[in-house]
């Protein structure tokens, strides 16, 4: 795949410099006199287009939305267009584990392209684990959206079987009920948000139903959906994420041993930092600075 590059000497415009200049020094040391920027998600495409429109003499823009890492390569010469392209991934977009046939052996659920086409609609595939460590694919082709971003596994309808919820980049949450034999049955939309970056499940109340919390980059919020025990959910609360314009990933665990699931918030852009939100037992959470780690003490903290 041909990639256009931005010569470092052209990093002179204020808006271009703000985005690219911090990366120039380390990349120049390892790559020589050109630079390209990897953007991890489609929410960054809007910023890429905005950047392309500020570059003087740009003749055109070509947007290619595919799965995998999106690469923005900008050139400020009049004869070179700005293009957003992507490297083709060799691995599934999203993947999770669970016991889908009740044999006590971990199985895999993943998204994959139809007939190997990573740019088109995706399929949900179950791979059943065997005792020897190998996997066998279940003969099913369950359609997904075009940009699956997260998968979470749990018994959301309390029938004893592992179910699956898939979050798409457009904000759609799709639910699939497990039948206990390795098959997944589409149940439709659970909710529609602005976007989906990360999903995690846990018991956020004293009840027995599994609940969800979803990271939404579009609204810069984490949204709590309490489970009704029948596979349906109701949105009850939301809290602001640490910084707009970034992707935040969520995980749950009981950090203070009170029997309630708590949330930890992380981002690839702030390696080593994490923020912990303790569950209050009613589907809301409170920031726990004593359990969090922020290198910058003046960083924003959720409240």
């Amino acid at each position: 795949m041909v990639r256009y590059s931005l010569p470092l000497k052209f990093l002179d415009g204020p808006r271009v410099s703000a985005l690219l200049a911090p990366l120039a020094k380390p990349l120049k040391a390892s790559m020589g006199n050109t630079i390209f920027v990897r953007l991890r998600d489609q929410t960054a495409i809007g910023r890429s287009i905005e950047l392309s429109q500020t570059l003087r003499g740009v003749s055109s823009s070509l947007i290619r939305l595919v799965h995998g890492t999106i690469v923005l390569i900008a050139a400020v010469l009049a004869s070179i267009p700005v293009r957003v392209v992507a490297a083709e991934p060799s691995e599934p977009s999203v993947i999770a584990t669970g016991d889908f046939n009740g044999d006590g052996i971990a199985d895999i659920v993943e998204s994959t392209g139809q007939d190997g086409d990573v740019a088109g609609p995706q399929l949900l595939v179950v791979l059943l684990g065997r005792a020897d460590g190998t996997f066998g694919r279940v003969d099913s082709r369950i359609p997904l959206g075009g940009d699956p971003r997260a998968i979470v596994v749990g018994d959301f309808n309390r029938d004893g079987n592992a179910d699956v919820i898939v979050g798409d980049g457009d904000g759609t949450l799709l639910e699939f009920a497990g039948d206990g034999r390795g098959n997944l049955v589409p149940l439709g939309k659970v909710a529609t948000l602005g976007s989906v970056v990360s999903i995690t499940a846990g018991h956020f109340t004293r009840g027995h139903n599994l609940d969800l919390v979803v990271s939404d980059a579009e609204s810069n919020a984490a949204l709590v959906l309490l489970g009704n025990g029948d596979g349906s959910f109701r949105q009850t609360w939301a809290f602001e994420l640490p910084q707009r314009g970034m992707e935040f990933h969520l995980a749950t665990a009981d950090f203070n041993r009170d029997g309630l699931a708590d949330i930890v918030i992380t981002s690839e852009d702030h390696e080593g930092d994490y923020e912990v939100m303790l569950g209050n037992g009613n589907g809301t959470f409170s920031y726990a600075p004593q359990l969090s780690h922020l290198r910058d003490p003046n960083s924003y903290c959720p409240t």
Side-chain angles (χ1 to χ4, degrees):
M1 177 181 62
V2 177
R3 292 174 174 170
Y4 295 89
S5 299
L6 172 61
L8 293 179
K9 65 181 181 180
F10 290 112
L11 291 174
D12 53 6
R15 298 183 72 181
V16 176
S17 296
L19 181 62
L20 302 183
L23 302 175
K25 186 175 180 179
L27 285 177
K28 186 173 182 179
S30 61
M31 299 176 56
N33 184 29
T34 62
I35 184 172
F36 62 87
V37 180
R38 292 186 180 273
L39 300 176
R40 285 183 291 274
D41 64 282
Q42 292 189 11
T43 62
I45 289 178
R47 297 196 295 276
S48 306
I49 297 171
E50 180 184 1
L51 172 64
S52 73
Q53 292 169 346
T54 70
L55 298 180
R56 192 172 183 180
V58 169
S59 58
S60 66
S61 294
L62 175 64
I63 305 300
R64 189 172 166 219
L65 303 181
V66 301
H67 295 285
T69 301
I70 297 173
V71 183
L72 167 66
I73 301 139
V76 295
L77 300 178
S79 59
I80 304 178
V82 173
R83 297 175 182 265
V84 176
V85 297
E88 306 246 330
S90 59
E91 56 192 14
S93 298
V94 286
I95 189 170
T97 60
D99 185 1
F100 295 106
N101 58 355
D103 63 355
I105 300 173
D107 309 311
I108 293 172
V109 59
E110 67 180 20
S111 68
T112 185
Q114 297 188 37
D115 302 320
D117 180 10
V118 297
Q122 300 289 291
L123 300 174
L124 190 63
V125 173
V126 174
L127 304 172
L128 296 180
R130 304 187 180 105
D132 61 0
T134 62
F135 294 84
R137 178 169 173 167
V138 175
D139 186 18
S140 64
R141 298 171 63 89
I142 305 171
L144 294 173
D147 183 25
R149 300 297 306 276
I151 291 181
V152 63
V153 176
D155 183 8
F156 301 113
N157 58 5
R158 297 184 61 185
D159 65 352
N161 301 322
D163 310 311
V164 174
I165 292 177
V166 180
D168 197 81
D170 67 1
T172 303
L173 297 181
L174 297 175
E175 186 172 11
F176 304 86
D179 67 354
R181 298 188 299 274
N183 302 301
L184 295 174
V185 179
L187 296 182
K189 293 182 183 180
V190 171
T192 301
L193 311 178
S195 65
V196 174
V197 173
S198 174
I199 312 173
T200 188
H203 294 284
F204 301 151
T205 70
R206 297 291 180 183
H208 300 289
N209 303 330
L210 264 182
D211 310 307
L212 300 176
V213 60
V214 185
S215 173
D216 178 1
E218 184 74 18
S219 64
N220 192 47
L223 296 96
V224 176
L225 293 88
L226 295 184
N228 295 318
D230 58 0
S232 64
F233 297 83
R234 62 192 187 280
Q235 184 179 327
T236 58
W237 194 66
F239 60 89
E240 187 178 0
L241 290 170
Q243 186 175 336
R244 186 170 292 277
M246 294 174 53
E247 285 196 341
F248 290 93
H249 298 270
L250 310 174
T252 52
D254 184 2
F255 295 110
N256 58 354
R257 298 186 177 183
D258 65 352
L260 295 168
D262 310 308
I263 300 172
V264 62
I265 307 166
T266 65
S267 171
E268 295 177 8
D269 296 285
H270 292 296
E271 186 176 353
D273 284 0
Y274 56 88
E275 297 172 64
V276 173
M277 304 284 286
L278 295 179
N280 296 321
N282 59 356
T284 66
F285 295 81
S286 299
Y287 176 59
Q290 74 278 13
L291 298 178
S292 303
H293 178 267
L294 296 173
R295 288 171 293 179
D296 179 3
N298 297 316
S299 296
Y300 170 84
C301 301
T303 56

